[in-house]
Amino acid sequence: MKNLINRFVKDESGATAIEYGLIAGLLSIVIIGALQLTGTSLEGVFTAIQDSLDSAAIGGS
């Protein structure tokens, strides 16, 4: 029984899995934040392109 408890205490495989889970969670938060910032910038670019195309279509008619 003592051998079983010692083996359980020394087993670090669960700790490794938790660490990988924390790293994955932090990376996902960083990626989501970066995509939100990039999405806002891209929205402005596409709006400018749309405005240019609209004015060209009106002027070209």
Side-chain angles (χ1 to χ4, degrees), residues 3-4 14 26 30 45 54:
N3 187 18
L4 181 64
L26 289 173
V30 169
V45 170
D54 288 341

Side-chain angles (χ1 to χ4, degrees), residues 31-54:
I31 289 171
I32 289 170
L35 288 176
Q36 285 180 342
L37 291 174
T38 304
T40 304
S41 298
L42 285 178
E43 184 179 358
V45 170
F46 284 123
T47 302
I49 292 171
Q50 181 180 3
D51 292 342
S52 296
L53 290 174
D54 288 341

Side-chain angles (χ1 to χ4, degrees), residues 11-20:
D11 186 18
E12 294 183 5
S13 62
T16 303
I18 291 171
E19 290 168 357
Y20 284 135

Side-chain angles (χ1 to χ4, degrees), residues 2-12:
K2 185 177 180 181
N3 187 18
L4 181 64
I5 293 172
N6 283 338
R7 206 168 17 143
F8 177 75
V9 170
K10 291 180 182 180
D11 186 18
E12 294 183 5

